[in-house]
């Protein structure tokens, strides 16, 4: 067992509970759809960010971030757009592939949405047989934040500990004072889903999130649903992260 500091990320597919409970007859298709979506999203994670475990309709990922939490947070933050893009892309693929099926699960696949929760803090890593378990208040806090008052079903939520080192990257985020079961209330920051990388900018070797900014793609029609000041500032702020 050892103590360390980590960036923690939960990727959660919302709509799942309603999806399953109201549509028992299509349970098998619903499970297949969720599995396919989670796989599509976590396949986009780059080391040192790695999947710790799958939790039904969600995945818990973490990256040890000592001695430089700010660097690891920024690297994780820049992967998030790719996760949302992979989710939307796979959702569309599933919708087309399953268009012939009239079951409730396949017919309502577009109701599924992705949320991402990001935090950083001290954790304990312990080995249980072949499994690597992570524990600590930071892990508990992030899970409890799955129940929150964010008025959206697809979003990115940051705790204050995650937001602070990211600085102006999160300038357009909404602040919310969030009550948490069994813990003191805390400030969280959220935004609707991150921009999707346009086609042709998905080459991971080119660090898509950064490439996307440098090629001016943030000004494309893909991002019109986001407030201009937010994505414009993002483009300006991440330039210094580019490889020289
Ligand atoms: Zn079906």
């Amino acid at each position: 067992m050892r103590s360390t500091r980590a960036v923690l990320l939960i990727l959660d597919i919302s709509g799942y509970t309603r999806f399953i409970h109201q549509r028992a007859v299509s349970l098998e298709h619903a499970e297949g759809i969720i599995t396919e979506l989670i796989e599509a999203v976590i396949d986009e994670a780059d080391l040192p960010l790695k999947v710790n475990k799958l939790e039904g309709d969600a995945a818990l990922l973490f990256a040890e971030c000592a001695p430089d939490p700010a660097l690891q947070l920024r690297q994780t933050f820049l992967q998030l757009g790719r996760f949302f893009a992979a989710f939307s892309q796979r959702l569309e693929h599933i919708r087309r592939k399953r268009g012939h099926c009239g079951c409730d699960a396949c017919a309502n696949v577009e109701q599924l949405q992705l949320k991402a929760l990001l935090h950083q803090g001290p954790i304990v890593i312990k080995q249980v047989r072949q499994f690597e378990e992570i524990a600590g208040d930071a892990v508990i806090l992030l899970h409890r934040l799955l129940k929150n008052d964010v008025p959206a079903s697809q979003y990115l939520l940051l705790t204050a500990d995650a937001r602070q080192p990211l600085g102006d990257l999160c300038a357009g985020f909404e602040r919310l004072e969030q009550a948490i079961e069994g813990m003191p209330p805390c400030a969280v920051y959220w935004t609707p889903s991150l921009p999707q990388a346009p086609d042709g900018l998905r080459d991971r070797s080119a660090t898509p999130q950064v490439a996307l900014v440098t090629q001016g793609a943030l000004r494309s029609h893909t991002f019109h649903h986001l407030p201009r000041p937010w994505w414009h500032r993002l483009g300006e702020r991440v330039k210094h992260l580019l490889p020289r």
Side-chain angles (χ1 to χ4, degrees):
M1 184 163 350
R2 64 190 175 85
S3 299
T4 183
R5 178 167 280 274
V7 171
L8 300 165
L9 175 67
I10 290 181
L11 297 167
D12 180 78
I13 296 177
S14 60
Y16 178 82
T17 308
R18 191 180 58 223
F19 203 31
I20 296 302
H21 287 175
Q22 293 182 355
R23 299 173 172 90
V25 70
S26 54
L27 183 65
E28 192 180 323
H29 283 184
E31 290 290 353
I33 290 167
I34 296 294
T35 302
E36 200 174 324
L37 285 167
I38 287 182
E39 284 176 347
V41 174
I42 63 177
D43 280 353
E44 294 293 323
D46 277 339
L47 288 171
L49 187 65
K50 58 183 178 182
V51 178
N52 176 248
K53 63 177 159 184
L54 300 178
E55 303 170 334
D57 53 344
L60 172 65
L61 297 88
F62 81 108
E64 288 189 64
C65 62
D68 191 351
L71 176 66
Q72 192 51 59
L73 266 169
R74 281 168 185 257
Q75 287 178 349
T76 302
F77 183 84
L78 292 174
Q79 294 185 43
L80 291 171
R82 217 164 60 216
F83 298 155
F84 281 93
F87 179 81
S88 309
Q89 205 172 38
R90 186 56 62 97
L91 201 61
E92 176 57 23
H93 174 76
I94 292 170
R95 197 184 60 74
R96 284 202 306 268
K97 187 176 72 176
R98 293 181 176 263
H100 68 280
C101 178
C103 89
D104 287 338
C106 297
N108 293 283
V109 72
E110 68 276 3
Q111 290 181 19
L112 294 173
Q113 295 194 291
L114 179 67
K115 49 190 176 186
L117 287 77
L118 186 63
H119 180 45
Q120 63 113 352
I123 62 163
V124 168
I125 300 181
K126 55 183 179 178
Q127 200 72 29
V128 183
R129 297 290 186 207
Q130 72 270 38
F131 305 106
E132 192 174 54
E133 280 284 321
I134 63 172
D137 285 352
V139 180
I140 295 170
L141 170 70
L142 196 59
H143 281 91
R144 293 200 178 160
L145 278 173
L146 281 165
K147 261 193 200 169
N148 60 57
D149 303 320
V150 171
S153 49
Q154 181 152 297
Y155 56 84
L156 163 63
L157 178 149
L158 308 179
T159 62
D161 287 338
R163 181 188 181 277
Q164 192 271 332
L166 290 170
D168 287 351
L169 285 177
C170 322
F173 285 40
E174 298 278 338
R175 185 184 189 280
L176 186 69
E177 193 70 16
Q178 181 63 54
I180 305 166
E181 184 193 345
M183 292 179 156
C186 72
V188 297
Y189 301 84
W190 70 277
T191 187
S193 57
L194 287 174
Q196 299 175 24
D199 290 340
L201 288 174
R202 297 191 193 283
D203 177 7
R204 299 179 67 180
S205 63
T207 321
Q209 280 294 303
V210 176
L212 170 159
V213 170
T214 56
Q215 294 173 27
L218 280 172
R219 281 176 282 278
S220 85
H221 68 280
T222 312
F223 307 100
H224 282 180
H225 66 290
L226 286 171
R228 182 184 172 89
W230 180 80
W231 54 255
H232 187 71
R233 277 198 298 272
L234 175 65
E236 292 304 309
R237 303 301 179 196
V238 302
K239 279 178 183 166
H240 66 282
L241 293 172
L242 289 169
R244 294 179 194 284

